[in-house]
């Protein structure tokens, strides 16, 4: 139970546009341990809003690989549950209702800026790192006439108007105490011009509807948190506790990618015969949970799990990582 008396609920939310890699596995392991250590419920949600980039076979693969690693969940697309469906592509009604509520409050406005306009804005000082340059607010003050004439030429996206006077403070379970000015990232898109609901909107609507109390996800989404806090506030919902797991880097210090070899779970498992216990032990060691990269099943880590012992900094894979995972 959380301090507010709610049941503790966390989630994995893979986007099936690529295969799970070591970094995703590390985040999933930590999210699972956090919830299991608190005796809570784990939800699996597939974030397949962008249908062109998402592939159903990759969603199926993500589920089987998480299970292979030794993780499980209490609700999800394969086992159902009271908040079904668990695929974002099938939850459009909820997103429409959420957009309607924000529209009713006057927090949304149409944005007619083209890619070129936004690129020009990119010359301006940077906004939130993971979110690109701050939107300068070009379309926020358009008159009704201006909107009408622009609408003849372009289908708009919809932006959420941030309150620049607000300061968003939160205590991240791993990153520590953080503070963002409401205006630092600019107004953000909640529905793209092609009609696809944006990540920020969908994830908050889902986390509220699914009763999520604890969000543990990758460090790359840390900068999304102030935007999401603004949405929780506008929707009158209590935000969850957030924790962002350390970024996993290649031995060269660059962000993990195909360039670094067999970093997908499929390759490790199929091409290199890595055993799940070896991988779980290695990830736990990388995260700072154990002193040596031993072999263990994730459930063996539940009793001693402490979020405070997770490393706060990005972790670089040692040069010999694949050898350690495959020998012995
Ligand atoms: N779907 C996102 C991802 O795969 C995770 C979103 C979230 O945890 O808020 O990175």
């Amino acid at each position: 139970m959380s301090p507010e008396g709610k049941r503790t609920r966390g989630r994995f939310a893979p986007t099936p546009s690529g295969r799970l890699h070591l970094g995703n596995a590390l985040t999933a392991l930590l999210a699972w341990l956090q919830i299991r250590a608190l005796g809570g419920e784990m939800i699996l949600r597939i974030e397949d809003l962008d249908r062109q980039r998402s592939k159903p076979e990759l969603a199926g693969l993500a589920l089987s690989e998480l299970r292979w690693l030794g993780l499980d969940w209490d609700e999800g697309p394969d086992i159902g549950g009271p908040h079904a469906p668990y695929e974002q592509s099938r939850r459009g009604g909820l997103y429409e209702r959420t957009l309607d509520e924000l529209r009713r409050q006057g927090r949304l406005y149409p944005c007619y800026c083209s890619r070129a306009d936004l690129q020009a804005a990119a010359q301006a000082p940077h906004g939130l790192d993971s979110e690109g340059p701050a939107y300068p607010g070009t379309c926020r003050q358009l008159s009704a006439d201006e909107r009408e004439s622009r609408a003849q030429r372009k289908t708009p996206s919809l932006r959420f108007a941030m309150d620049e006077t607000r300061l968003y403070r939160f205590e991240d379970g791993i990153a520590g105490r953080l503070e963002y000015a409401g205006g630092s990232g600019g107004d953000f898109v909640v529905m793209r011009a092609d009609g696809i609901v944006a990540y920020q909107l969908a994830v908050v609507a889902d986390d509220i509807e699914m009763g999520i109390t604890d969000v543990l996800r990758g460090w790359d989404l840390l900068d999304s948190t102030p935007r999401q806090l603004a949405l929780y506030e506008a929707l009158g919902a209590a935000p969850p506790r957030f924790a962002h797991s350390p970024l996993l880097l290649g031995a060269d210090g660059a962000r993990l990618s195909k360039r670094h070899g067999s970093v997908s779970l499929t390759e490790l498992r199929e091409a290199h015969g890595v055993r799940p216990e070896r991988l779980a032990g290695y990830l736990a060691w990388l995260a700072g949970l154990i002193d040596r990269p031993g072999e263990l099943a994730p459930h063996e880590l539940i009793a001693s799990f402490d979020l405070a012992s997770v490393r706060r900094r990005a972790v670089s894979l040692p040069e010999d990582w694949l050898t350690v995972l495959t020998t012995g």
Side-chain angles (χ1 to χ4, degrees):
M1 292 274 224
S2 72
E4 305 82 45
K6 285 196 239 165
R7 278 198 71 81
T8 301
R9 283 166 67 82
R11 78 312 194 271
F12 307 121
T15 301
S17 57
R19 291 170 192 269
L20 294 184
H21 57 66
L22 286 171
N24 304 126
L26 174 65
T27 301
L29 175 65
L30 293 175
W32 184 86
L33 283 171
Q34 183 197 26
I35 295 303
R36 292 301 183 228
L38 293 168
E41 293 156 1
M42 199 68 194
I43 285 82
L44 195 138
R45 178 172 77 224
I46 297 293
E47 305 216 319
D48 56 353
L49 276 178
D50 190 335
R51 299 215 198 171
Q52 286 198 316
R53 297 184 56 218
S54 301
K55 301 196 179 65
E57 59 279 16
L58 289 178
L61 194 61
L63 300 199
S64 62
E65 278 169 349
L66 292 170
R67 284 204 200 282
W68 168 81
L69 186 60
L71 309 183
D72 63 355
W73 44 93
D74 307 292
E75 298 170 30
D78 51 343
I79 51 177
H83 298 272
Y86 291 91
E87 296 94 352
Q88 288 191 326
S89 58
R90 300 175 57 207
R91 298 173 60 81
L94 172 69
Y95 310 142
E96 277 310 319
R97 290 194 297 281
T98 310
L99 286 169
D100 281 346
E101 167 62 21
L102 298 173
R103 206 178 273 119
R104 204 183 50 74
Q105 297 178 21
R107 295 299 292 266
L108 304 186
Y109 64 86
C111 171
Y112 302 93
C113 289
S114 64
R115 216 174 278 263
D117 295 332
L118 296 172
Q119 256 153 22
Q123 313 305 325
H126 268 265
L128 304 173
D129 270 357
S130 66
E131 303 286 340
Y135 180 65
T138 323
C139 291
R140 189 162 171 177
Q141 309 299 349
L142 294 182
S143 67
D145 282 353
E146 284 169 321
R147 283 192 179 143
E148 206 171 305
S149 83
R150 282 172 211 219
Q152 318 255 312
R153 280 174 279 132
K154 194 175 182 306
T155 311
S157 61
L158 279 182
R159 284 186 191 267
F160 177 82
M162 286 292 280
D163 178 352
E164 293 91 350
T165 65
R166 288 275 287 113
L167 204 57
Y168 292 96
R169 284 202 184 95
F170 65 100
E171 180 75 38
D172 187 279
I174 297 172
R177 188 176 291 275
L178 292 166
E179 192 175 282
Y180 291 85
S184 55
D187 300 339
F188 61 93
V189 172
V190 286
M191 192 166 80
R192 296 172 12 183
D194 60 8
I196 295 184
V197 172
Y199 157 72
Q200 312 286 3
L201 189 282
V203 86
V204 170
D206 283 340
D207 284 342
I208 294 173
E209 194 278 333
M210 293 180 177
I212 301 300
T213 57
D214 292 82
V215 168
L216 191 157
R217 59 187 175 193
W219 195 274
D220 52 325
L221 291 165
L222 184 61
D223 281 353
S224 287
T225 311
R227 295 180 163 185
Q228 295 177 12
L229 288 172
L231 289 175
Y232 277 97
E233 192 174 67
L235 295 166
R241 286 177 290 258
F242 288 98
H244 291 83
S245 69
L247 207 57
L248 201 52
L249 307 172
D252 57 358
R255 219 177 145 143
L256 212 58
S257 72
K258 290 206 181 93
R259 214 154 49 72
H260 295 106
S262 305
V263 292
S264 79
L265 298 198
T266 313
E267 281 168 293
L268 289 176
R269 177 183 173 178
E270 289 176 3
H272 297 284
V274 171
R275 287 193 304 279
E277 296 80 8
R278 178 62 67 93
L279 182 57
Y282 199 71
L283 293 171
W285 171 70
L286 285 175
L289 300 180
I290 51 176
D291 296 337
R292 236 165 276 120
E295 283 200 19
L296 45 79
H299 68 82
E300 294 175 69
L301 292 163
I302 296 175
S304 61
F305 183 73
D306 179 6
L307 202 54
S309 57
V310 175
R311 278 186 218 286
R312 287 184 178 203
R313 291 172 182 277
V315 183
S316 294
L317 276 178
E319 293 280 359
D320 64 351
W321 69 275
L322 190 56
T323 315
V324 177
L325 283 178
T326 49
T327 46

